[in-house]
Amino acid sequence: MRQPDPKNRTSADLDQFHQGLQIAHGTNTCLSCHDAGNYDSLKLADGRKVAFEDSIELCSQCHGPQRRDYDRGAHGGMNGYWDLTRGGRVRNTCIDCHDAHVPKYQSVHPAPHAHDRFQNGAAHE
Amino acid sequence: MSDLTRRTVLKAAGATLGASAFAAAIAPLTQWQPAESVDEFLRRHYKELTAEDLAAICRRIEADTKVSHGIDVHVAAPQPMPGVQFGYALNLSICVGCRRCAEACHQENNHDRTSHNSYIRVFELDNGSIDLATGDATYDHPVPAKGKYYMPVQCHQCDNAPCVKVCPVEATWKEQDGIVVVDYNWCIGCRYCEAACPYHARRFNWKKPEIRPEEINPDQGYLSNRVRPQGVMEKCTFCLHRTREGRLPACLEACPTGARVFGNLADPNSDIRWVLANKRVFILKDDLGTKPRFFYFFDK
Amino acid sequence: MAAIALHRPGLLPFLRQAFGHATDGGPLFYAWMTLLTCIALVGVNAWANQVVSGMQVTGMGDHVSWGLYISNFTFFVGVAAAAVMMVIPAYLYHDHEMHDAVIVGELLAISAIIVCLLSVTVDLGRPDRFWHMMPGIGRFNWPISLLTWDVIVLNGYLGLNAWICGYLLWSRWRGTAPSPRLYLPFVFLSIIWAVSIHTVTAFLYCGLGGRPFWNTALLAPRFLASAFVAGPALIIVVLLVLQRLGSYPFGDKPVRLLLRVVQITALINLFMLAVECFTALYAGSTHAASLRYLLFGAHGHYALVPWMWSAIALNVVAAGLFLWPGLIRRPALLATACLMTFVGIWIEKGMGLVVPGFIPSTLHEMVEYVPSLTEWKITLGIVAGGLIIYTLLLKIALPLLSGWTPGLSVGVEAMDAQHRQLFDRLNALVVAIRSGCGATELDRTMDFLDSYVREHFADEEKLLTDAGYPGLEGHRRMHAGFTAELESVRAGLASPQADRQDLAERLHLSMRDWLLRHIQVEDRAYGVFLKQRLC
């Protein structure tokens, strides 16, 4: 098995797998987040391992304000209860909405707008 | 004398002709069914109904809906929760203008399908300006667009609500938990509230709302999302049929980015209180003194 | 001995006669009423359809949520309020000639208020829930909602004017002098009340902080100024039409007075509009968005621009014409100027004031408004209904004011018939003088009256002589006085230097009033005497 090469910075440097993978995430390289010793794990800057399902801890290293907002319910979609004594919430985490490699929020087509009477030359009934 | 008789006969003929023409003119009214029953026509104002009255009315609406639409719905009249003051804040820094909130409102609140009505209008504004005059609520292109930001506007549930003040029959009022509601069975449809509201939050039922039975949301509130009659006002109720049971409003659940923060203003540990204390919050048309329960904020 | 009195007719015959007066007329009257009825019925039919289909048949929407109905309502509140322009001189300054003409204004107020109430009713999404507003059985949000204030002041104004007109006409019919206690306080109240109806209606709009176009303290003064243009202008037209139809011998005086009013108010109204425009436009704030849209269009929307400039043009031209001294001598031009300003203000108050308050919307969206066919039908139907009511009220009131009424009966049928003729011939002469007809025609009418007066006086005096009436001598002297007065009028008419209008006024006011009082007092006195003798 080949050893990870820390000199590989983007997918363009690769000769196998993940070729063509888009990466647009600041100056991060693969091994900024992926653990060189164990591909099934992520790692924090100090080397501690992080499971994939806890990726939010990894993101939070740089995105502190977002993490703070997330913790206060001010960032990230959710379902459930505002009154936590009555029920819980299902929270999205970072990667539900942001692709870790291209984290910029992708554009979407908006849901239809209301067809208000007579707006934008709508026909008079 | 004969002239007098002739005149009388002519007058009588004219009167008969006039009366029958009047009857013909007014004939379309025979097709009018303003109320399902005499009982509904004579229904008292919401605040004069006892809990038993209200329960009986809800059961009757369920039965009527079964007959009219062939579906089972559940109509409840949840009361304000003690110690709860609802508030809502919206993060303009992360709203992407996808209109999922407006769409969720459309479905949750059993809006008229033909007009695709919603209590939320999302404005696309130019970066660098907060002048709504440059805004557009009917954009139809991928969002977020370059150089734009988005501002959803819905009922601000004002503490000093102009709509409540102007209503001549008290058909709209502010509940204990801060939600401004409409009694659909008391509103006379004068639309003075619609003229008074600075936030374009009120909608009128210009016709009987059209919605296919299978699309009707069966989880209904008497003061919120039950199917409205023709000719009355309606408005956002912060989904009181959900929120008074502790649940989040439909628009918040639909928001993919988490731009919406809802909660109890009376709870100092609530998320909404944290936002108000820590974010750059502003109130739309603050100068009007309407004291809204709806806030906008920016991250940076 | 029980006091013997002449019979005073009751309410039922009064209503019967009123009904008769209201439904009798010539071909022109029937044609006019048929036309109005047809228009009103088209309106009724359109409204019935609107009730069934919902307000979707209008041109309104959630952006412009009030349209033609509320515009028309607002305008006619002003017309109703303007009735005071006649009341003030008549009662405050005891201007005698205005007394009769004032009823024309007050009846207009009644009709205009009915137009207002109907206009609001057709704007309701749920007219079947009208009772929700009734104090007691409904929930009346008074004093918080300005709309409840409007309900009170409009109905109160309707009641006040109905009472004043009804009581005065009823007294006249009964032949009794109206008791000032029973109507004067209401007259003074109605003057204040007239100001209140338009002030409250302005407050409906200017109390809304979210609509900067309306949210100005100048709105109530502007409403009053424009009301005092449109209302008197309409009354001038009505008086001119009545003069032309010869329905009632009005003099020029009420028209002159009302013209003096509109000369000033038309200028004040234009001034206030200019002030409003300056304040909003010079500062250039976004609060002027509606005004800019109204005057110049905005963001490619221009629907109201032609309306508003038409209104300004009509009002400016009319204001100029009012200032021209020759206008009073040209009734057709005067009526045209009045109608111009009437239409101008109708636009200014409706399409130029109610509608632009909604454009742009509170969230600055540009959605325009064009009234639908249904709205036009209903609005015209309501106006036609108001005209029907006004026509009928005038038909009832005018003969009562100028002619013989059963309340003047002296109990002798022959004398009653002659009295009735006297009034009719006197009125005919007044109309003849005022309509400026030729010398021959005038002579004929004069002879017609003169010979009849002598004949009647002779008959009456013979009757009293035969009956041995003790007050005969005094009575005869009174008759002689009247005949002498008539002689001097005849002499005046013959002289080319005499002021004919002045002569008409003498006939119309002092001589007719003398006749009225003479029958009420002296003739009825012999009536009682004759009745006693029979017993």
Side-chain angles (χ1 to χ4, degrees), chain B residues 11 166-167 191-192 194 285, chain C residues 23 62 123 141 145 204 362:
Chain B
K11 272 190 196 178
V166 300
C167 178
R191 307 189 297 291
Y192 196 12
E194 194 166 28
K285 304 195 185 191
Chain C
T23 53
D62 284 320
D123 192 64
N141 190 14
S145 169
L204 286 182
T362 48

Side-chain angles (χ1 to χ4, degrees), chain C residues 34-360:
Chain C
T34 307
L35 175 71
L36 292 180
T37 306
C38 289
I39 298 174
L41 285 176
V42 168
V44 167
N45 182 250
W47 178 71
N49 280 315
Q50 175 186 289
V51 167
V52 176
S53 324
M55 304 297 279
Q56 60 175 325
V57 297
T58 70
M60 294 183 272
D62 284 320
H63 290 87
V64 183
S65 49
W66 279 343
L68 198 55
Y69 302 145
I70 296 298
S71 299
N72 216 41
F73 155 76
T74 308
F75 173 74
F76 274 98
V77 170
V79 172
V84 292
M85 288 327 304
M86 316 265 292
V87 176
I88 291 172
Y91 293 99
L92 285 189
Y93 304 124
H94 302 288
D95 187 323
H96 193 71
E97 191 167 355
M98 291 302 284
H99 253 272
D100 281 359
V102 81
I103 211 109
V104 173
E106 286 184 342
L107 295 178
L108 177 65
I110 291 174
S111 318
I113 289 284
I114 292 171
V115 168
C116 294
L117 295 175
L118 289 176
S119 298
V120 178
T121 306
V122 299
D123 192 64
L124 292 183
R126 294 304 295 245
D128 56 312
R129 297 182 185 169
F130 197 77
W131 61 276
H132 290 184
M133 211 191 282
M134 298 203 183
I137 53 170
R139 289 173 82 95
F140 198 54
N141 190 14
W142 188 84
I144 302 298
S145 169
L146 257 301
L147 207 49
T148 59
W149 282 85
D150 223 21
V151 169
I152 292 171
V153 294
L154 290 180
N155 284 297
Y157 193 63
L158 178 62
L160 276 173
N161 279 291
W163 168 254
I164 295 166
C165 292
Y167 178 69
L168 289 179
L169 291 174
W170 162 247
S171 304
R172 180 68 180 78
W173 194 75
R174 294 251 298 172
T176 53
S179 153
R181 224 160 28 85
L182 282 180
Y183 77 97
L184 270 186
F186 298 101
V187 166
F188 290 117
L189 187 58
S190 81
I191 293 171
I192 304 164
W193 208 282
V195 175
S196 86
I197 64 169
H198 223 24
T199 306
V200 169
T201 304
F203 285 1
L204 286 182
Y205 301 99
C206 67
L208 303 183
R211 306 271 176 191
F213 183 66
W214 295 336
N215 190 211
T216 156
L218 194 59
L219 205 67
R222 257 186 86 192
F223 269 34
L224 286 168
S226 62
F228 291 156
V229 185
L234 184 60
I235 298 174
I236 289 176
V237 173
V238 172
L239 291 174
L240 291 175
V241 168
L242 290 176
Q243 261 176 14
R244 178 137 189 111
L245 292 174
S247 317
Y248 188 69
F250 289 111
D252 279 346
K253 201 170 170 191
V255 173
R256 280 177 190 277
L257 184 116
L258 290 173
L259 182 56
R260 276 213 301 281
V261 170
V262 293
Q263 277 171 347
I264 308 295
T265 52
L267 293 178
I268 294 177
N269 186 47
L270 284 170
F271 172 70
M272 286 188 182
L273 179 65
V275 167
E276 194 81 88
C277 290
F278 170 80
T279 309
L281 297 176
Y282 187 80
S285 79
T286 54
H287 281 188
S290 292
L291 190 65
R292 271 199 294 270
Y293 163 72
L294 179 62
L295 292 173
F296 314 115
H299 306 288
H301 298 280
Y302 303 97
L304 293 184
V305 176
W307 287 90
M308 194 55 194
W309 285 104
S310 307
I312 292 174
L314 287 167
N315 283 328
V316 168
V317 172
L321 282 172
F322 290 146
L323 292 176
W324 179 50
L327 188 65
I328 190 77
R329 289 188 301 279
R330 286 179 178 71
L333 190 60
L334 173 58
T336 310
C338 287
L339 288 176
M340 281 170 73
T341 199
F342 188 79
V343 172
I345 290 190
W346 181 81
I347 296 173
E348 194 191 303
K349 279 270 201 51
M351 302 303 273
L353 198 140
V354 175
V355 175
F358 294 96
I359 309 171

Side-chain angles (χ1 to χ4, degrees), chain B residues 41-80:
Chain B
F41 176 72
L42 294 175
R43 188 179 301 166
R44 303 300 310 169
H45 187 275
Y46 177 83
K47 288 184 184 173
E48 292 167 23
L49 301 173
T50 64
E52 294 78 54
D53 291 341
L54 210 46
I57 288 166
C58 288
R59 296 298 81 74
R60 197 157 55 238
I61 295 173
E62 289 167 358
D64 288 346
T65 313
K66 182 79 180 167
V67 173
S68 60
H69 293 80
I71 55 162
D72 293 307
V73 298
H74 175 249
V75 182
Q79 297 302 306

Side-chain angles (χ1 to χ4, degrees), chain B residues 248-268:
Chain B
L248 291 161
C251 48
L252 187 146
E253 289 197 342
C255 180
T257 68
R260 291 170 167 270
V261 182
F262 180 84
N264 181 6
L265 292 168
D267 172 6

Side-chain angles (χ1 to χ4, degrees), chain B residues 250-290:
Chain B
C251 48
L252 187 146
E253 289 197 342
C255 180
T257 68
R260 291 170 167 270
V261 182
F262 180 84
N264 181 6
L265 292 168
D267 172 6
N269 297 316
S270 64
D271 293 339
I272 179 96
R273 282 283 293 270
W274 181 84
V275 165
L276 296 183
N278 292 285
K279 291 290 187 179
R280 294 162 190 201
V281 177
F282 80 95
I283 287 166
L284 190 59
K285 304 195 185 191
D286 200 4
D287 51 327
L288 296 180
T290 49

Side-chain angles (χ1 to χ4, degrees), chain C residues 428-456:
Chain C
L429 180 61
V430 175
V431 170
I433 298 174
R434 285 197 166 133
S435 61
C437 59
T440 355
E441 169 78 7
L442 216 51
D443 257 359
R444 211 177 51 71
T445 324
M446 183 75 214
D447 284 342
F448 190 54
L449 173 64
D450 198 10
S451 58
Y452 200 81
V453 166
R454 288 168 203 284
E455 193 184 317
H456 164 63

